[in-house]
Amino acid sequence: MDFAMTAVRTALNGASYVAPRLAGGAAFRLFRNPRGRSRLRPDERPLTDRAEVGEIVVGGGKAVSYRWGTGARPVLLVHGWESRGSRFAPLISELLDLGLSPVTFDAPGHGDATGETMTIVDLRDIITELDARHGPFEMVVAHSLGVTATFLALREGGAGQLRPVRTERLVAISGVPDFAYLVDRFCERLGLRARLNAELRSRVERELFPGEEDIWSRFSVPRTVPEAGPASVLVVHDADDDMVDPACSRALADALGDRAELVVTSGLGHRRIIGDPQVTACVRDFVVRERAARVGRAAGRPDPSPRPAAG
């Protein structure tokens, strides 16, 4: 932990003894606001400049959407916390080569969108709105908190939409299992006392989701899996992820059973995994294999090959 993080931990834990509500408010502000806005990288600009750009009013700002291709066989790519849609650039290029039409976005407080921050409900509403505009999506690729929001959209849809999102395939990369995990991991990384964890949870309930009966159950992927989800799911996680425990993706794959294929990489961490050539190739193979299997089933033929074993 660097000096700045150590200073924050010491200050918050110290304040929690004499002014727990004040310390809780400070922790809440750190938790709900991105530490910085992800910038467009030079190697992402050529692809981004070719996109059809739109906007979605959601939460406290306007999300920016990006769309490529002809519109046939659309695929949605959902970024996570402190990221942006252009981080999927290598995968977007691969999907275009396969004849698919990728769609992604920058959520409020991220990338080129307006606003200061986003919530999981904002992500859900963006996913649902893009589904209404460009779907149904043949596949959804989601990373980190985007995985949690995608399962939420698959179960309940979004504001103003009467039906849940539907997709044939899902790629879940470094997925966050539920909203409670985010709070616990945030407190763990900062070394905050249990009292601050409880105060932070209380503020999340009151200020982010007022009126909700049980956000900790509602925003949980394990609760969602039995109720919603595509027929085929590729679950990818890096063994060296220091932000989300790889055990979370193993548990997701176990919950999905025969629907899931688990791929574990190494040396990529939490963020570099979405642009890694190995992972991009893995997703491409998943698209090709599942497409061939679907065409074969429609023609009454058996699947061309079994799915790879988890590992």
Side-chain angles (χ1 to χ4, degrees):
M1 183 177 291
D2 61 26
F3 176 77
M5 294 289 278
T6 301
V8 169
R9 177 187 63 188
T10 302
L12 288 175
N13 282 329
S16 70
Y17 286 99
V18 294
R21 294 187 65 185
L22 183 64
F28 176 69
R29 287 189 292 274
L30 283 174
F31 175 77
R32 72 163 302 183
N33 292 318
R35 291 172 298 176
R37 192 177 285 263
S38 297
R39 304 296 178 186
L40 188 68
R41 296 170 181 165
D43 60 339
E44 298 168 349
R45 184 171 296 281
L47 184 68
T48 303
D49 286 345
R50 290 164 45 199
E52 176 186 314
V53 180
E55 67 176 36
I56 302 168
V57 178
V58 62
K62 293 180 180 178
V64 179
S65 65
Y66 306 92
R67 179 172 175 255
W68 296 265
T70 63
R73 301 180 62 195
V75 173
L76 178 64
L77 302 105
V78 183
H79 71 75
W81 187 250
E82 295 177 350
S83 188
R84 60 182 294 147
S86 62
R87 294 296 183 261
F88 290 106
L91 180 55
I92 290 169
S93 295
E94 288 284 350
L95 295 174
L96 284 168
D97 288 345
L98 290 173
L100 281 75
S101 299
V103 177
T104 191
F105 61 89
D106 298 338
H110 294 70
D112 291 336
T114 65
E116 298 298 323
T117 188
M118 69 175 180
T119 69
I120 188 173
V121 171
D122 293 334
L123 273 180
R124 178 207 65 182
D125 290 347
I126 294 168
I127 293 167
T128 308
E129 178 60 27
L130 289 174
D131 178 69
R133 294 184 186 184
H134 307 299
F137 291 108
E138 182 171 313
M139 180 173 70
V140 177
V141 180
H143 175 244
S144 192
L145 182 60
V147 175
T148 327
T150 296
F151 273 100
L152 186 64
L154 289 171
R155 188 178 80 236
E156 65 182 39
Q161 302 293 335
L162 298 178
R163 65 175 182 84
V165 171
R166 291 287 179 261
T167 186
E168 299 171 12
R169 297 188 289 278
L170 171 65
V171 179
I173 305 173
S174 310
V176 174
D178 52 45
F179 205 72
Y181 183 90
L182 288 179
V183 176
D184 292 342
R185 191 74 178 104
F186 172 82
C187 292
E188 180 185 342
R189 287 173 68 85
L190 276 178
L192 301 184
R193 297 174 60 223
R195 185 171 184 176
L196 273 176
N197 185 304
E199 176 65 23
L200 179 55
R201 283 177 176 247
S202 179
R203 284 182 176 269
V204 167
E205 291 171 353
R206 295 195 316 267
E207 300 183 35
L208 287 186
F209 307 106
E212 292 283 352
E213 292 186 1
D214 184 5
I215 64 170
W216 312 109
S217 175
R218 179 185 171 201
F219 303 149
S220 171
V221 172
R223 175 176 178 263
T224 302
V225 164
E227 303 176 20
S232 300
V233 184
L234 175 64
V235 182
V236 185
H237 212 118
D238 192 77
D240 301 308
D241 190 330
D242 64 350
M243 297 184 69
V244 179
D245 192 329
C248 296
S249 283
R250 295 191 199 101
L252 173 60
D254 288 343
L256 288 164
D258 292 342
R259 289 188 280 169
E261 167 193 339
L262 175 64
V263 173
V264 179
T265 60
S266 62
L268 300 176
H270 186 71
R271 298 192 184 279
R272 288 191 298 116
I273 191 170
I274 61 174
D276 180 73
Q278 175 188 350
V279 175
T280 297
C282 186
V283 176
R284 180 189 179 102
D285 291 346
F286 176 68
V287 172
V288 172
R289 184 176 66 252
E290 292 297 324
R291 180 73 175 178
R294 186 180 129 185
V295 171
R297 287 192 295 270
R301 298 191 299 269
D303 287 356
S305 61
R307 295 180 184 175

